[in-house]
């Protein structure tokens, strides 16, 4: 999963799609059964670490639905050099999605 995230963050088509407006790239890490996946706080830290200041993406997120929980867990990492406007937009989105610790 980690390799796919890294490859997609550098994919030219995805970068072009992110160009016109601030974009958060979401990854679906759906699993079946009891497969192990990193905890959300760990994903959020790693995603933020992988986003260079020069990327066109505002952030990246991993959604990890499970069979035993009706809610979908979302880990969101954002660039460190967001503008105040960008930070406000991410905070509003996080609030609407019910995320904490962004």
């Amino acid at each position: 999963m980690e390799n796919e995230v890294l490859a997609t963050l550098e994919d030219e088509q995805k970068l072009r799609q992110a160009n016109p407006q601030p974009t958060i790239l979401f990854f679906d890490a759906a699993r079946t059964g009891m497969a192990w996946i990193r905890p959300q706080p760990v994903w959020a830290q790693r995603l933020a670490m992988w986003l260079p200041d020069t990327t066109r993406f505002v952030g990246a997120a991993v959604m990890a639905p499970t069979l035993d929980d009706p809610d979908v867990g979302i880990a969101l990492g954002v660039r460190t050099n967001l503008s105040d406007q960008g930070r406000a937009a991410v905070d509003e989105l996080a609030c609407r999605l019910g995320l904490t610790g962004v």
Side-chain angles (χ1 to χ4, degrees), residues 1 21 37 42 52 55 64 67 69 72 79 84 87 91 96:
M1 174 76 187
Q21 60 188 2
I37 191 166
V42 174
T55 187
L67 294 174
D69 189 348
V72 176
R79 277 194 339 240
D84 290 341
R87 172 52 70 182
D91 289 344
R96 288 182 182 206

Side-chain angles (χ1 to χ4, degrees):
M1 174 76 187
E2 186 173 300
N3 290 336
E4 290 299 319
V5 169
L6 289 169
T8 305
L9 288 172
E10 296 175 359
D11 181 84
E12 281 301 316
Q13 180 180 355
K14 294 296 180 192
L15 290 168
R16 281 193 304 276
Q17 291 170 341
N19 207 26
Q21 60 188 2
T23 302
I24 296 174
L25 187 60
F26 276 77
F27 297 89
D28 184 353
R31 59 183 172 172
T32 58
M34 298 304 295
W36 182 85
I37 191 166
R38 283 191 178 99
Q40 293 173 8
V42 174
W43 266 117
Q45 290 172 350
R46 292 185 71 83
L47 290 166
M49 180 182 71
W50 293 332
L51 290 165
D53 291 345
T54 56
T55 187
R56 296 180 194 147
F57 297 110
V58 171
V62 170
M63 303 177 295
T66 62
L67 294 174
D68 60 344
D69 189 348
D71 294 325
V72 176
I74 299 175
L76 173 62
V78 296
R79 277 194 339 240
T80 57
N81 67 336
L82 282 182
S83 66
D84 290 341
Q85 182 180 6
R87 172 52 70 182
V90 168
D91 289 344
E92 181 180 344
L93 174 66
C95 182
R96 288 182 182 206
L97 291 175
L99 303 178
T100 59
V102 177

